[in-house]
Structure formats: C-alpha cells, structure tokens
Amino acid sequence: MEQVNFQQAMEYAIAKEREASALYIRMANISTDVQAKSFLLEMSQEEQRHEQMLVTLTERGTLEGIGFAHPPDMKIVEYLKPTKPAPEMNYQESLLFAAQREREAAEYYDHMAGLVSDATARDLFISLASWELGHKAKVETEYERYFMPEN
C-alpha cells in the first residue's frame, strides 16, 4: 500500500462513517419492524456524529485531546449465525447485523493500521478500531439486555 498521511487517513475515515450512516438509513427505510427501524436510525445518527467529530479533527489537524476508549469485547456476535440485511429483519436480527458490521469495521481499521507507515495515520486507524468496537459493545449490550435475559 502506498504511504497514507494523516489527511488522507482522515478523508478515508470520514467516507467510511458516511458509508455506514447511509447503510443504516437504507436498512431503516426498508425495515418493516418498528423497533428495528428506530434502532437503525439511531445507529445512523451515531455514525453521523462520528463523521462530524472526524471533520473537526481534520480541521484541527491532530488527534490531540480526543480520547478513544478501549471497550470490553463481549464477543456475543462471534458465536451467533451471521445475519444479512433484509426488509423483514426483526429487532434481534438488526442488532446482530449491526454488531457484525461494527466488528468488521474494527477489523478493517486494525488491518489498515498495520499497512501504513505514517505514525499519525496508524494511531488514527488504531483509535478508529476502538471506536468501532465501542459501537459493537453498545449493540451487544442491547442484544444481551433483550435477548439473553438469563445473564
């Protein structure tokens, strides 16, 4: 892979957040389950907030002052059957799909961190992987609350 600098990494990350937001909106628009639709719209709004944060960081030209938490990984989705988006997805399936999507995004950012030699871009990708794991943790917590009541 060619050298990716901070600016390019930020532009790429912003595009990925827009893409994620658009995916969640598309899924919400086709969903026939009210609870799933509401959840998917909430996820889209969260991706939009992250996009705006990245825009602000790009304008500042630094990651300084931004903390990216390293959330615990509940690994719920790793043990469940993958879900594909479909209009008839219920709330449970929507949660599984979102958790899978966020896990894949975290894995992708981890992969990107290993490919770049620019230290600031690498730090960005590592931080974004944590961000996506935070999304996954939020979704898995919701999944556990509704669909694993014995825990």
Side-chain angles (χ1 to χ4, degrees):
M1 174 178 216
E2 68 184 61
Q3 178 65 26
V4 175
N5 64 31
F6 177 77
Q7 182 68 30
Q8 292 165 321
M10 293 301 283
E11 289 169 4
Y12 180 77
I14 289 166
K16 291 297 276 183
E17 292 294 326
R18 282 185 188 142
E19 177 184 306
S21 176
L23 172 64
Y24 287 129
I25 287 173
R26 281 193 310 275
M27 289 180 60
N29 287 339
I30 65 170
S31 179
T32 57
D33 182 282
V34 174
Q35 196 172 15
K37 183 183 290 283
S38 175
F39 167 74
L40 292 165
L41 289 173
E42 179 183 325
M43 289 299 291
S44 175
Q45 290 169 350
E46 187 162 326
E47 300 291 358
Q48 290 170 8
R49 283 190 299 276
H50 289 169
E51 176 190 343
Q52 188 53 52
M53 288 174 67
L54 289 170
V55 168
T56 300
L57 290 173
T58 301
E59 291 167 355
R60 287 183 17 205
T62 180
L63 295 176
E64 197 170 309
I66 297 295
F68 290 92
H70 299 283
D73 191 350
M74 298 169 70
K75 296 194 181 284
I76 292 172
V77 72
E78 284 79 356
Y79 298 103
L80 299 171
K81 182 181 173 188
T83 303
K84 296 191 186 280
E88 64 278 355
M89 285 175 68
N90 62 28
Y91 187 48
Q92 183 176 16
E93 293 165 329
S94 296
L95 288 170
L96 287 176
F97 174 80
Q100 291 163 356
R101 168 74 177 71
E102 299 302 330
R103 183 191 74 218
E104 290 167 2
E107 290 170 352
Y108 182 76
Y109 283 134
D110 274 338
H111 177 73
M112 289 297 292
L115 295 179
V116 298
S117 57
D118 179 274
T120 307
R122 184 174 36 260
D123 289 347
L124 171 67
F125 286 129
I126 290 168
S127 296
L128 290 170
S130 290
W131 209 350
E132 300 300 344
L133 287 176
H135 292 173
K136 180 179 179 275
K138 176 183 175 180
V139 174
E140 286 183 326
T141 298
E142 184 78 353
Y143 185 92
E144 183 179 48
R145 187 169 73 131
Y146 281 95
F147 302 106
M148 300 174 75
E150 67 278 359
N151 290 334

